Amino acid sequence: MTAGDFFGSGLQFLNICAVYYAIQLVRCATFSYGVFAVVFVLRKTVLKNRAFLKGALWSLFIPVLFMGKMKFFYESEIGISLFSWQTVLFMDTLVCVLYLSVAFVYGMVLLRRRIKLKKSVLTLEKKEISDTHVYVTDLPVTPFVIGVFKPKIVLPKVITEEYTEEELKSVLLHEKTHIKLGHLLIYCLWDILRALLWINPFLIIGARYLREDMEEICDLVTIKRSGIGMYDYGQLLLKSIRLLKSENKKFNIYAAFAGDIEYRNIKRRFERIAAYKPYKNSAVFAVLTAITLCAAGTVFWTQNVSYGRYNSHHCIVIYDVETETIFSKDNEGLREAVCYDENYIYIEASALNEFIYNSGISGENIHIYLDGFYKLPGIGAGSGGFGYLETADSEEAVITIDYVETEDFFSRILKLI
């Protein structure tokens, strides 16, 4: 393969990748509208007072990322009628590159925010409070924690000075609970999700609701783990608001541990704290297990009704090089006349001559293309191999020609992704 051929193959490979991933993501985004509607309605109605179940609802977005390759889009009348326009639109490489470029830029913006915040935190004074390393800021911000792999807790200076040791332990316990429950990872994954499926603007709104639900769960777990009771916990929350308000008149008085929240949200938070009822760890574990199994089962089912990483394309095509025309496509008769192994192609001479005679061509300079693979119907099609026949004239009953494998470096990579 020459440098020019390699460059051409590489460019074609990138084009196929752009189409392959963009069309999957836009279909996942389409399904995410419905999933968001289900989550939003259930958390506002039947699961309004069920903190753990309400939080578990967000796991419904996990299977969404596996729905882009479902056969439903290509093999069902409903799927074809509803989504054929997407198939046509996203077969355009420029459209796909535009979609992926926006997703990349949006992802970089979200990542840059995280990096900027982390750098700012690393410049803060570091202290040890109740055997916990924390970063202290002079700004009147609410306590928070950042970092997925190396979490760092940030406290405002006024809280470290005005809170008692026991109160500080409760505040730190709240932030540690966020870490233990994996909320930081969940927030990070949500940022990735909304960047990949950026054409669904409701995912931006969903970030707020997700944090609200995670905060509610964190409150419940912290109350139980701290043993201070719902009344004292509420008083602690109010104290933080008063202290931060006194430090800065512009500070949003309705802010709480998780950050700035509108009045109605903080009001609901106090109502939930006031309505706190002890829960059983075994019940929560059972809920989490059930949700995990449901999510895994849905992903498994989705994979079963989807196209594979690559799909074998069983076909035989006879192509005339001189006229640049296909004069015989895959059919039962052709399959009976042509077979092959890893080294040779075997052609029944009488059947081939009949194909040539019916097509009205000379029968010289013939290519026979065999099998291949595709990523999705019409995307990433590649030939498995071919044979070259200079003339169909032969006294042998079976013509034998060399089988040439066409799979190259890029084809092998394409199969793996």
Side-chain angles (χ1 to χ4, degrees), residues 21-38:
Y21 285 113
I23 199 168
Q24 286 186 72
L25 290 173
V26 76
R27 286 171 175 165
C28 292
T30 302
F31 273 103
S32 71
Y33 279 93
V35 174
F36 181 84
V38 171

Side-chain angles (χ1 to χ4, degrees), residues 60 133 202 237 260:
L60 292 176
H133 291 290
F202 291 109
L237 184 58
D260 291 338

Side-chain angles (χ1 to χ4, degrees), residues 340-387:
Y340 71 99
D341 57 29
E342 61 182 11
N343 296 313
Y344 300 102
I345 300 173
Y346 308 97
I347 312 162
E348 187 179 319
S350 60
L352 180 62
N353 288 329
E354 183 180 347
F355 290 131
I356 293 173
Y357 176 79
N358 291 335
S359 66
I361 63 173
S362 65
E364 298 182 353
N365 297 321
I366 295 172
H367 275 180
I368 301 178
Y369 293 97
L370 302 165
D371 295 342
F373 72 93
Y374 61 93
K375 300 294 288 183
L376 291 172
I379 301 176
S383 174
F386 73 96

Side-chain angles (χ1 to χ4, degrees), residues 234-286:
Q235 288 294 321
L236 185 63
L237 184 58
L238 284 172
K239 184 176 180 178
S240 69
I241 293 175
R242 288 194 299 269
L243 286 174
L244 295 173
K245 175 62 177 178
S246 65
E247 287 292 304
N248 186 354
K249 293 182 179 180
K250 294 182 180 181
F251 177 76
N252 182 358
I253 194 170
Y254 307 117
F257 289 150
D260 291 338
I261 307 174
E262 297 176 1
Y263 171 73
R264 60 181 178 272
N265 293 330
I266 192 63
K267 180 175 178 290
R268 283 197 298 268
R269 186 175 179 187
F270 277 112
E271 290 173 348
R272 290 192 294 265
I273 292 173
Y276 169 79
K277 293 181 181 179
Y279 61 87
K280 294 182 178 179
N281 290 335
S282 58
V284 174
F285 179 77

Side-chain angles (χ1 to χ4, degrees), residues 9-10 16 33 38 74-75 77 118 238 296 330 348 369 396:
S9 297
I16 292 173
Y33 279 93
V38 171
Y74 297 94
E75 299 181 10
E77 293 184 4
K118 182 179 179 180
L238 284 172
D330 195 42
E348 187 179 319
Y369 293 97
E396 300 292 332

Side-chain angles (χ1 to χ4, degrees), residues 96 124 133 150 198 228 241 255 257 323-324 330 333 346 359 401 410:
C96 296
L124 300 176
H133 291 290
K150 294 181 179 180
W198 61 268
I228 63 175
I241 293 175
F257 289 150
T323 62
E324 297 183 349
D330 195 42
Y346 308 97
S359 66
I401 59 176
F410 292 109

